[in-house]
Amino acid sequence: MFGLILKDLKNVKGQIVYYIVVFVALAGISIATGNVYFMSGVSFLGVALPLSAIAIDEKDKWDTFALAAGVTRSRLVLSRYILACVSFGLMLAAAFSVAAASRLLDDAAVVALLSFGGIGVIAADVMFPFIFKLGTEQARAVYLAFIAAGVLLGASVSVLIELVEGAKNILLFLPMALGVAGLLPSVYASLRIYQSKNF
């Protein structure tokens, strides 16, 4: 399993600069404006990284080779989910670190980062079965639609945090809890799809 994840990371190493640039840009805007909501957008990159890794595998027909070499379908599916979790974890950790270093990490910022992170995990839960079913090219259109929906949902979250009494207490846990709870059915759906897929 570790070898599969390491392979994915090596495949996308050429794109790491892109993710760093996006993160630095969002972090810079957040620091300049004193608004951590801009930096919360990095959560959506948690889906983009494994999506890129799967796209490279599709181009190289890696899955066909891996299955012929004895790698199980369940390992291939789970490795993509683990890569997404690692990606989300690193991006959220970086966002919290920058917010803390720039003295933007108040209660509202914690809620915003965790809420947007949860929305990103929910997007991953929904996206992965589409990716395994349709392939990355067709799934990208669905991903863009989810980004738009996530932005609208995130804007609603920010309004609730500012205007609704007690919203922080709910939003601190709810989106991430829904995202984590959705992992199991998402993995199950992806495994069912991938088990019936012909290569």
Side-chain angles (χ1 to χ4, degrees):
M1 188 73 73
F2 177 77
L4 293 173
I5 297 169
L6 184 61
K7 180 269 302 176
D8 286 336
L9 291 174
K10 286 184 176 180
N11 281 347
V12 298
K13 67 180 181 181
Q15 301 177 26
I16 294 298
V17 174
Y18 161 76
Y19 292 108
I20 292 174
V21 168
V22 171
F23 177 81
V24 169
L26 293 173
I29 295 172
S30 290
I31 294 170
T33 60
N35 189 339
V36 78
Y37 290 109
F38 289 102
M39 195 161 49
S40 300
V42 300
S43 61
F44 296 106
L45 297 178
V47 183
L49 184 67
L51 185 62
S52 296
I54 296 172
I56 293 170
D57 284 347
E58 285 182 356
K59 181 180 178 182
D60 296 338
K61 300 188 183 302
W62 158 259
D63 287 27
T64 302
F65 169 78
L67 292 170
V71 180
T72 64
R73 294 180 182 237
S74 60
R75 281 182 177 270
L76 287 173
V77 170
L78 291 174
S79 68
R80 273 75 185 256
Y81 276 90
I82 293 173
L83 178 63
C85 290
V86 170
S87 177
F88 276 115
L90 290 175
M91 289 177 189
L92 280 177
F96 271 100
S97 298
V98 171
S102 56
R103 298 182 180 179
L104 293 176
L105 197 62
D106 56 11
D107 291 344
V110 171
V111 174
L113 291 174
L114 288 179
S115 295
F116 275 83
I119 292 169
V121 175
I122 292 170
D125 293 341
V126 178
M127 277 302 305
F128 269 105
F130 278 103
I131 293 169
F132 288 114
K133 178 69 174 179
L134 304 175
T136 54
E137 287 305 314
Q138 294 185 58
R140 285 184 193 277
V142 180
Y143 175 58
L144 293 175
F146 269 99
I147 289 180
V151 170
L152 291 174
L153 186 57
S156 300
V157 166
S158 63
V159 170
L160 287 172
I161 290 173
E162 298 296 332
L163 298 181
V164 179
E165 184 71 25
K168 291 180 183 179
N169 298 327
I170 297 174
L171 295 173
L172 180 61
F173 300 106
L174 184 59
M176 188 62 75
L178 290 174
V180 173
L183 278 173
L184 189 59
S186 177
V187 170
Y188 177 76
S190 293
L191 285 171
R192 289 290 300 272
I193 292 167
Y194 201 70
Q195 292 290 353
S196 62
K197 195 169 184 177
N198 294 320
F199 292 93

